[in-house]
Amino acid sequence: MARTKRKPTIPNFLEMKRQGKRFTMVTAYDYAFATQVDKTDIEMILVGDSAAMVMLGYENTLPIDMDTLILLGKAVVKGAPNTFIVGDMPFLSYEVSAEKAVENAGRMMKEAGVDCVKLEGGVEVADTVAAIVKAGIPVMGHIGLTPQSSSQLGGFRVQGKDLTAAEKLLEDALALEEAGSFCIVLEAIPNPVAQVITEKLTVPSLGIGAGPHCDAQVLVMHDLLGLFDRFVPKFVKQYAQLGKDVVAAFSKFDEEVKAGTFPDDEHSYHVSEAVEREILEHLRKL
Ligand code: KIV
């Protein structure tokens, strides 16, 4: 029997939290990989600003802009019609003013066609989140290690390691829920901090480096497929080594081209021997 996958909705995710059912999100940034995710039971795709690092080769996520993320979002939306798509808001697209944030979040929804937006920060962005939600745009929050503030945080470091910092994370999570976020990413925080935040939230927590107690888990696609080797964070599990397979395939192609064994008969267009003779004779005379 053919598998049927239906795009989940925000009420579905809230119900999953109530019923203690976990769900999964993975990043994707193009049509080809989005179509592969859509063939699985993974419920959500994040068109993350991590594209700046894993797709465009930057050192951090800051350089990517609205137009680029919208372009990538459009491709992912086309490739995964049965998956809930989250559009990441790039650095400085929502910090300047609530009006600008609503305008940019609206662009992400209208132009890319995503199902919600995601932005980083806690208490300090709660009013902005409330303004975007008031405009009818669903918002996913993101606290803990927030890569857009990595310079301020002193690098890509674990957050919430002492009582004061852990308490601040709980305040941030509750402020985002109060502001209307329907789901909150918890990145790189110790297990017990994520556990209590998850217990206190009525909306789902989505962990990345936040342990097993979160309601859902997310990984960056290039990390989980073994396609990004600049560094591998402790929380990443590589479920495949596609980088190695890709290098092997490129090398084999190169080898066969140089040896003259590709293209062979199987990968060439033919005509009958008589027509071939005729073509060769005629064209050579010209
Ligand atoms: O951009 C991204 O990939 C993210 C994840 C790390 C959650 O924000």
Side-chain angles (χ1 to χ4, degrees), residues 27 29 46 48-50 88 118 120 142 185 187 208 218 220:
T27 66
Y29 316 94
L46 168 65
D49 62 356
S50 48
D88 220 356
K118 175 172 88 57
E120 297 181 7
H142 183 163
V185 172
E187 178 163 356
I208 174 161
V218 49
V220 169

Side-chain angles (χ1 to χ4, degrees), residues 165-271:
E167 199 176 319
K168 165 79 168 77
L169 284 176
L170 178 58
E171 272 169 32
D172 284 338
L174 295 175
L176 290 174
E177 176 173 280
E178 173 79 20
S181 293
F182 76 96
C183 183
I184 300 170
V185 172
L186 308 180
E187 178 163 356
I189 66 178
N191 290 5
V193 182
Q195 182 174 5
V196 176
I197 291 176
T198 300
E199 284 164 12
K200 296 215 179 239
L201 286 175
T202 60
V203 297
S205 66
L206 223 175
I208 174 161
H213 302 290
C214 297
D215 299 302
Q217 297 290 330
V218 49
L219 280 178
V220 169
M221 179 188 93
H222 288 65
D223 287 339
L224 94 83
L225 295 181
L227 280 169
F228 184 74
D229 46 20
R230 224 159 66 202
F231 60 89
V232 181
K234 174 182 164 61
F235 58 75
V236 166
K237 180 167 176 185
Q238 293 183 322
Y239 287 85
Q241 292 293 334
L242 291 198
K244 289 193 181 126
D245 290 349
V246 169
V247 171
F250 286 151
S251 302
K252 187 81 185 147
F253 171 54
D254 176 55
E255 215 178 280
E256 291 189 3
V257 168
K258 288 170 182 165
T261 54
F262 177 86
D264 52 13
D265 263 4
E266 192 192 336
H267 299 97
S268 303
Y269 297 106
H270 298 287
V271 285

